[in-house]
Amino acid sequence: MSFQKNLITRRDFLRDSARAGTSVWAAELALKSSVLQASLAVPAGEGALKAAIAVDAGTVLHHIDPNIYGSFTEHIGRIIYGGVYEEGSQLSDEQGFRKDVLNAAREWGVPVLRWPGGDFVSGYHWEDGIGPKESRPRRYNAAWYEEESNHFGTDEFIEYCRKIGAEPYICVNLGTGTIEEAANWVEYCNGTGNTFYANLRRKYGHQDPYKVRYWGLGNEVYGDWQIGHKNAEDYAKIALECGKMMKWVDPSIRLVACGLPEIEWNRVVLEKLINIADYISLHDYEGNEDYYEELGTIQRLEHNIRLTAAAIDLTDSLRGKPTALAFSLPEVNSKKPIQIACDEWNIWYRKHDLFRRDIPNPVEEKYNLRDALWIASGLNLFQRMGDRVTMANLAQMINSIGAIFTNERGMFLQTIYFPMKLYRRECGSQALACKVESPTFSSKSFKDVPYLDASATLDAERKKLAVTVVNRHKSQPIGAILKIGNAKVGSKATLFEINGASPEIENSFSELENVKIVEKGFSEAGEKFGYVFPAHSITLLKLSVT
Ligand code: AHR
């Protein structure tokens, strides 16, 4: 097998999009591989729905950053207290971390964990959360109308990340915080010298620097629901000064600027931060009671990523250039274009009583199989667009809009947990050219959405090719011909399926496994084979290739 790199450049992509006059995604793959062109022929037959999937194992489109399978824990409701951390519980370890949740996070393999917010961070002063717990101030969490004990702070967060094997990603306070406070936080975490905050970390028992690599420059600063929200110009000004000082403390850190899927906000922010930021963020929450309307919203997520990418392209010529607008910092200038961090994404529409003070934990959403299909479609999208999206954080990990759900006696895994774990565990790090021909659906707001959605990845070292397929049809299986070009494919494969009795089905404390990952053997794989994808299912076919 020739796993030769055949990277599609941005220029090729734009030229082909224009020439093809077709959907951008189709154009992305058009003309790239004779394998793809020659092999797609929807199988004939009566009645049943038919599709075709063609993968070119010789065309590696881009690297997939494992950070796209990340998550987020904010100080809301029972995410931290009662989720991550529960002092005095029999379910917790000696440090107060819930052991059942730790195991679930480890099994998922969360690669990167964002903290402490979210809206919470815009009123958070990190020094409240260090030192002896009994001396930490109890504060009002104005973002979520709650009380904050500060018993879980920076040292506990880092310890938690170490325990689950995740890279910490800290977002700083650009609501009520100062640039100096943010730079001091970097010094506390990463400082190696004989300076106050590095010594404070040592004093509290942490000799070695934490080497926190990822730092966010504020959260959703554009919205009036945010403590200390700002317009684009004001945000860009403070974020530039803040990022500059943070990178002067530790030039190795990677900064995430606060983005909005809107060209104007992102343009203003990127023009200022182009030589400081490494990522721009995108938040996307979707959901709808109507089955096809909800699954159709995947088109909006794709559109939002493309809008963000367009703003990056628009400002990219300023990269590395000291201009009036872009402060130049030669020693830390990024050589790479700004990346996209989808650092909050999920289904969220049922429990949205954000401004209700009379309901405890008002954002504890229960997820069904339909929501898991949407999450798997999102992961397919991130894999396909992995040249632009190099971090994504499912919001959130536990309880409030969480993939894991606890009470004082135990926990269960919500439906959306399973695609996160499956993709993180089984997909390779190289995105392959993969083309799908499928019948489509339309909903009230979205047109021509393919029922069958796929992505293909390669783990070249282990010689494994994973095809991840979501059948979004509500009631019908879809028979597909799969063709794998430029590789010899062994007949024995492993097949993982996530499905359940109906799209509405949920897991609960009493029904833990209505939806789960089922592993099956499959011995009919090859360079060309057929498979019937069940209605409302997620399938990962793991093929051996040489
Ligand atoms: O994830 C919940 C909230 O959603 C976050 O605090 C905020 O950033 C977003 O609006």
Side-chain angles (χ1 to χ4, degrees):
M1 172 178 48
S2 52
F3 290 144
Q4 85 272 17
K5 286 233 157 150
N6 183 2
L7 293 167
I8 295 174
T9 65
R10 182 102 200 119
R11 194 178 303 143
D12 288 344
F13 163 64
L14 291 171
R15 184 200 58 218
D16 289 347
S17 311
R19 194 184 284 160
T22 173
S23 86
V24 183
W25 162 233
E28 195 165 358
L29 288 173
L31 310 173
K32 288 302 154 201
S33 155
S34 55
V35 175
L36 295 182
Q37 282 187 65
S39 64
L40 280 177
V42 176
E46 293 284 309
L49 290 169
K50 306 283 192 298
I53 299 171
V55 177
D56 183 354
T59 301
V60 176
L61 299 175
H62 48 255
H63 172 74
I64 295 170
D65 195 313
N67 283 345
I68 63 170
Y69 311 113
S71 196
F72 174 36
T73 48
E74 177 173 1
H75 290 242
I76 307 178
R78 304 183 309 116
I79 295 181
I80 301 294
Y81 305 106
V84 165
Y85 182 80
E86 197 165 354
E87 287 169 301
S89 165
Q90 292 196 331
L91 297 175
S92 298
D93 66 12
E94 62 293 345
Q95 288 162 299
F97 299 125
R98 279 282 294 253
K99 287 185 280 188
D100 48 355
V101 176
L102 270 174
N103 283 340
R106 281 190 193 119
E107 279 176 27
W108 166 346
V110 177
V112 59
L113 190 62
R114 184 171 180 251
W115 173 84
D119 297 349
F120 169 75
V121 78
S122 299
Y124 179 62
H125 297 288
W126 69 270
E127 287 189 59
D128 289 346
I130 55 169
K133 288 190 183 161
E134 60 284 4
S135 320
R136 298 185 192 176
R138 202 173 165 83
R139 301 266 190 212
Y140 181 58
N141 169 355
W144 296 97
Y145 312 147
E146 295 171 358
E147 292 184 13
E148 171 58 53
S149 69
N150 278 307
H151 283 194
F152 188 95
T154 304
D155 300 322
E156 289 77 23
F157 172 63
I158 299 294
E159 181 62 18
Y160 195 72
C161 287
R162 301 288 183 257
K163 284 193 177 221
I164 65 171
E167 280 286 335
Y169 165 19
I170 294 179
C171 185
V172 306
N173 174 357
L174 285 186
T176 62
T178 65
I179 63 172
E180 188 176 26
E181 185 181 4
N184 291 343
W185 206 353
V186 177
E187 186 193 318
Y188 182 85
C189 290
N190 295 0
T192 53
N194 181 17
T195 54
F196 180 79
Y197 285 102
N199 285 334
L200 197 57
R201 183 194 69 237
R202 293 184 189 104
K203 178 177 157 193
Y204 293 145
H206 310 282
Q207 192 56 35
D208 296 331
Y210 290 147
K211 296 188 180 160
V212 176
R213 183 170 160 76
Y214 302 108
W215 294 83
L217 293 169
N219 179 72
E220 295 187 356
V221 183
Y222 43 78
D224 64 3
W225 59 89
Q226 201 68 210
I227 299 170
H229 90 284
K230 296 167 181 61
N231 65 25
E233 284 78 12
D234 290 348
Y235 167 69
K237 199 170 167 193
I238 190 174
L240 173 66
E241 295 307 314
C242 189
K244 195 171 82 180
M245 198 170 166
M246 290 167 76
K247 280 203 172 177
W248 281 343
V249 174
D250 180 356
S252 73
I253 63 173
R254 312 263 289 151
L255 293 176
V256 183
C258 173
L260 177 68
E262 184 211 271
I263 292 280
E264 196 45 20
W265 171 280
N266 283 352
R267 183 190 64 75
V268 171
V269 168
L270 285 173
E271 281 187 359
K272 267 262 198 277
L273 296 178
I274 193 96
N275 294 318
I276 290 281
D278 301 281
Y279 299 83
I280 185 146
S281 69
L282 164 62
H283 290 183
D284 196 312
Y285 292 104
E286 302 289 354
N288 199 283
E289 274 147 33
D290 180 83
Y291 179 90
Y292 285 118
E293 184 68 4
E294 171 161 312
L295 291 181
T297 63
I298 203 67
Q299 286 190 341
R300 186 158 46 216
L301 177 58
E302 177 165 354
H303 175 76
N304 288 342
I305 295 170
R306 293 197 184 282
L307 263 184
T308 306
I312 293 170
D313 294 346
L314 196 69
T315 50
D316 193 58
S317 60
L318 293 172
R319 191 153 47 92
K321 294 202 184 105
T323 68
L325 290 173
F327 185 87
S328 178
L329 200 61
E331 70 274 31
V332 292
N333 268 348
S334 169
K335 300 280 178 294
K336 284 164 92 183
I338 303 275
Q339 312 283 292
I340 300 173
C342 290
D343 59 12
E344 288 188 30
W345 74 289
N346 205 347
I347 292 291
W348 181 18
Y349 70 97
R350 299 175 180 95
K351 297 277 186 167
H352 219 275
D353 300 313
L354 297 182
F355 302 107
R356 298 275 303 266
R357 292 167 185 243
D358 55 327
I359 310 175
N361 309 315
V363 291
E364 294 196 348
E365 192 103 341
K366 291 282 163 51
Y367 291 106
N368 62 24
L369 176 59
R370 178 182 79 221
D371 304 326
L373 301 179
W374 188 84
I375 293 294
S377 305
L379 293 173
N380 278 349
L381 186 60
F382 295 152
Q383 290 186 163
R384 291 196 299 259
M385 302 185 79
D387 54 335
R388 311 306 296 244
V389 181
T390 55
M391 192 193 303
N393 305 74
L394 184 79
Q396 300 210 14
M397 196 166 92
I398 314 157
N399 291 336
S400 295
I401 48 173
I404 301 166
F405 202 88
T406 67
N407 64 16
E408 319 78 63
R409 294 175 302 286
M411 53 153 269
F412 70 89
L413 300 170
Q414 297 234 48
T415 58
I416 59 169
Y417 172 90
F418 296 102
M420 295 304 300
K421 173 179 167 183
L422 183 64
Y423 280 61
R424 165 65 169 142
R425 293 271 156 212
E426 305 299 337
C427 290
S429 62
Q430 296 180 327
L432 296 178
C434 171
K435 187 162 182 174
V436 181
E437 284 198 354
S438 161
T440 59
F441 65 86
S442 294
S443 66
K444 196 167 150 240
S445 319
F446 303 97
K447 302 277 164 281
D448 303 324
V449 187
Y451 283 116
L452 220 59
D453 179 64
S455 162
T457 63
L458 180 71
D459 178 341
E461 222 168 87
R462 293 188 185 81
K463 299 195 161 67
K464 294 285 182 199
L465 192 159
V467 190
T468 44
V469 182
V470 188
N471 179 2
R472 302 186 276 220
H473 202 291
K474 194 173 181 181
S475 55
Q476 287 191 45
I478 299 183
I481 293 290
L482 287 97
K483 294 181 183 177
I484 316 292
N486 274 324
K488 287 213 177 328
V489 182
S491 59
K492 285 210 165 77
T494 314
L495 190 150
F496 302 89
E497 187 180 296
I498 301 172
N499 204 347
S502 78
E504 291 76 39
I505 201 152
E506 300 172 356
N507 288 345
S508 66
F509 285 111
S510 55
E511 292 181 305
L512 300 173
E513 299 198 334
N514 283 339
V515 176
K516 61 179 177 179
I517 301 170
V518 176
E519 186 176 339
K520 306 171 181 176
F522 180 71
S523 52
E524 284 159 37
E527 285 92 60
K528 180 177 174 188
F529 61 99
Y531 188 75
V532 178
F533 295 95
H536 51 70
S537 67
I538 301 160
T539 305
L540 188 148
L541 273 158
K542 201 149 183 197
L543 310 172
S544 297
V545 286
T546 49

